[in-house]
Amino acid sequence: MPSLTIIFSASLALIAGLAFYVRSRFLLEKMSGKEKETGRKMYELAILKELGDRIGYSLDVHEIIDIITGSLRQFIEYSAVSYMLIQPEKVIFKVQLEKSVNRGFLNEIRERMLGSLSALLDKELSKSVIEEVLSGVILSEDTNEPVRSFFNIPLVIGEKVVGVLTVSDTKPGLYKEEEMTILYKITQQASKAVSKLQEVVRMEQRKLNSMVESMADGIVMTDNDYRVLVANPAVKTLLGLVSARELSIFDIIEHVAGKFDIRSKLEESIKLGKVLEVPEVILGERFFQIFISPVKSTAAMTSGETLGGVVIFHDITREKELDTLREDFTSMMVHELRSPLDGINKIAELIMSDRTHKHAEKVVHEYVPIIHKSSSDMLRLVSNLLDAAKVESGKYQIFKEPIGDIRKLVAERVKFFDPSVKAKQLVVKIEISADAPGSMSFDENALVGVFNNFIFNAIKFTRDGGKIAIQAFLHQRGKDVIDEARRNGVSWFLKEADQVSKDLPSSLVVAITDNGVGIKRENLPLLFNKFRQFQSAAMSGDKKGTGLGLVIAKGIIEAHGGLVGAASEEGKGSTFYFTLPI
Amino acid sequence: MRTLKKVLVVEDDQAFRTVLSETLEAEGITVFKAADGKTGLDLAIKEHPDLIWVDVVMPVLTGLQFIKELRKDVWGKTACIVLLTQLHNPTVVADALENGVFKYFVKADHSVEDVIAETKKYFASLPY
């Protein structure tokens, strides 16, 4: 049966053909699927690259979404691509139309987007102000096509929903999983990039904020309309506005009124684009140097634009005090030098006026001793001043001898002061621990000066019948001095809180302790200050000392590589100690 | 005309105190001497001198403290005071003038004779 054969073969052919068709169709589909996918990948890469480039300069979410929506049509078919962004006081609704749709279409996507945004934020948005921006093809009431395909993607930045991105069409069933996935991926990438960038900016801002917050100088920054943008805690403290959470320019104007015209200085500085300086303003009881500077943008896009002004309050009270101290020191020095010199001069005048020499007796026994005393006072003062100056400039020279005997030195010093000790009926105790080296290297003459000073002071500030102890023990590197002292039976006024240097090398520790009047806590740090000591000695009329002895002693010990210190309890006594590295 | 019969010198500097007192005594004036402000104050209140020379920088009570304390006394309120200083410190001088000191000398700038002669001249011009 030829026909059958034909039919058969035809059928076969048909089947084969069909099979071929199906297969090639399948292949074709597969091929175009691959191409399509490559295309998508390429698009994805391109858009991601563009996003990367643009985001590099922008943190503006609008701009980034505009980039996405602007290039989306190469890849997805839609009548409209739109986004909604939450702003502090409104919601932005921006639509790019590709095909003409009517108002109803637009209203529908608007409602749907608002609905999903409300759901995402769990917040009622239907009453929000919505700013609508349309672009692309114009609306047409000729068409009456409803929304048949619709697809929403939340826009998330830094784990916060900031809006939604939507594609919609009048045709049904357009958006499959594939399209959704890719669009989702792109927005996710963009959001990741922005989140990361925002985090970087936030980090920088935090750093900058903590820097400004922790600065000792008071800082106020205002915008061009003098609204306070930044006011650090220091400025609140110095203005006495600590409790104020937000500072306004009026608060500041009010608090510096009559002393500093902040408003006009800012205006001047911004106008001239110049840093201004007010050298000295008294606020409360402190002195401030104030700088006013314009703040200019350094960002690439807006470089040079004035953003406002900054006012910096720099506290110069301490410097002022030091200046006063220095001036006082100089005038006291003049006083202390001029007095004996003037005395000598006046006595000489007196002697010369006695032309008949009838008072020769008086001259020898009364006037000459005054001249001698005045000149001695002056000599001592001049050498002390010179020594103190050397100490201060670090040029105090010591001449160490290799075999110094501390026991002998202490014994000699105590003997030297014996008359004063007896006169005040003091008890002097010498305690040198057995481990103190018998031979050390030090400048004996210089150390004599140090002992003289410490012992003299101990005698002077101890009441009649009081006690003085001269103690010495060996300190081993790394051990606790206070603990070592306790173990050596040393009783002194030093406590753990006094913190003798932690990394003290192995040394001989020498302490001179008395049970005298003691020193006020606040005066302890001033003991070794040249200016203070000299001044208080002069004011107390203490003709036996210039007050510079402690300053010089400190210089001598430091030249030996040791350290000097004092501890005291007011009314109970004081300890002056020094260390000599062995 | 007022003349000086007895005076008080409150001065911690031995040389100046000695020279001033000796010179005054040579003129037949009675001189009370004090080396610090406290002793000076006690002497002033006890002896009521015609005039007091007082130094600024002194132990126990400074010259200014001396003056302020003296002004609290009924007699001391109107006592004649001359300030002796070694430093020309404008604030100290201003403070002293406010407390009724009628003249001051920077010691090194004047001889003792000058100081005495000038003081006498001023003292003489004062109304009773």
Side-chain angles (χ1 to χ4, degrees), chain A residues 294-320:
Chain A
V295 177
K296 287 188 181 137
S297 168
T298 50
M301 311 288 278
T302 53
S303 190
E305 182 193 335
T306 302
L307 303 174
V310 64
V311 183
I312 300 168
F313 297 82
H314 179 59
D315 191 333
I316 52 164
T317 315
R318 181 101 189 89
E319 283 94 325
K320 288 285 290 180

Side-chain angles (χ1 to χ4, degrees), chain A residues 153-439:
Chain A
I153 286 181
L155 296 167
V156 182
I157 286 172
E159 290 172 8
K160 228 173 96 190
V161 176
V162 296
V164 282
L165 177 67
T166 300
V167 283
S168 49
D169 207 299
T170 48
K171 283 188 222 152
L174 268 184
Y175 308 126
K176 304 267 161 43
E177 201 186 331
E178 208 171 359
E179 282 85 5
M180 294 189 212
T181 310
I182 287 169
L183 190 56
Y184 188 73
K185 232 185 198 166
I186 290 164
T187 51
Q188 206 184 21
Q189 284 277 9
S191 113
K192 244 191 227 160
V194 176
S195 304
K196 212 182 248 169
L197 203 62
Q198 274 188 349
E199 187 50 33
V200 170
V201 171
R202 222 172 284 134
M203 278 277 285
E204 290 303 312
Q205 215 161 23
R206 263 204 292 271
K207 269 193 241 166
L208 217 64
N209 276 350
S210 9
M211 192 183 83
V212 172
E213 291 277 300
S214 58
M215 271 175 87
D217 285 349
I219 294 172
V220 177
M221 185 188 164
T222 72
D223 63 14
N224 288 323
D225 299 319
Y226 313 108
R227 269 188 296 260
V228 175
L229 303 175
V230 176
N232 71 348
V235 86
K236 289 180 187 168
T237 308
L238 73 90
L239 291 173
L241 292 164
V242 187
S243 51
R245 291 203 61 199
E246 295 284 322
L247 214 58
S248 80
I249 192 75
F250 302 106
D251 293 329
I252 303 173
I253 289 173
E254 193 187 319
H255 275 79
V256 299
K259 296 163 187 159
F260 171 55
D261 190 351
I262 186 169
R263 170 90 198 245
S264 61
K265 282 285 175 191
L266 270 169
E267 194 178 342
E268 190 186 343
S269 169
I270 292 171
K271 207 159 119 196
L272 301 175
K274 256 172 56 181
V275 180
L276 305 177
E277 187 199 331
V278 183
E280 199 181 304
V281 174
I282 305 174
L283 298 174
E285 284 176 351
R286 305 196 70 83
F287 292 88
F288 292 91
Q289 185 179 24
I290 302 178
F291 296 96
I292 308 96
S293 166
V295 177
K296 287 188 181 137
S297 168
T298 50
M301 311 288 278
T302 53
S303 190
E305 182 193 335
T306 302
L307 303 174
V310 64
V311 183
I312 300 168
F313 297 82
H314 179 59
D315 191 333
I316 52 164
T317 315
R318 181 101 189 89
E319 283 94 325
K320 288 285 290 180
E321 278 172 357
L322 272 177
D323 277 353
T324 319
L325 217 52
R326 242 176 249 130
E327 278 165 28
D328 287 352
F329 176 76
T330 312
S331 61
M332 285 314 292
M333 192 168 72
V334 169
H335 178 270
E336 293 302 290
L337 285 172
R338 193 145 78 166
S339 285
L341 196 58
D342 184 44
I344 294 167
N345 181 271
K346 295 265 187 323
I347 290 278
E349 251 176 57
L350 187 67
I351 296 171
M352 289 189 297
S353 70
D354 179 21
R355 291 178 216 290
T356 57
H357 300 288
K358 57 180 180 195
H359 294 309
E361 240 348 65
K362 241 186 171 172
V363 171
V364 176
H365 291 110
E366 206 178 307
Y367 302 164
V368 173
I370 293 178
I371 293 178
H372 180 252
K373 191 189 166 293
S374 294
S375 56
S376 305
D377 283 352
M378 240 180 101
L379 270 177
R380 198 183 52 230
L381 176 57
V382 170
S383 20
N384 277 353
L385 282 171
L386 280 176
D387 282 348
K390 277 187 206 155
V391 165
E392 218 175 33
S393 62
K395 284 182 190 137
Y396 195 91
Q397 266 196 317
I398 54 162
F399 302 96
K400 279 202 214 176
E401 292 181 39
I403 12 176
D405 183 349
I406 196 78
R407 288 178 177 84
K408 186 170 149 254
L409 186 65
V410 171
E412 277 175 6
R413 281 306 97 206
V414 171
K415 206 172 163 198
F416 175 82
F417 281 103
D418 201 40
S420 312
V421 167
K422 283 220 170 89
K424 287 189 89 173
Q425 295 160 317
L426 303 171
V427 179
V428 178
K429 179 172 77 169
I430 303 174
E431 288 177 339
I432 297 175
S433 70
D435 57 1
S439 166

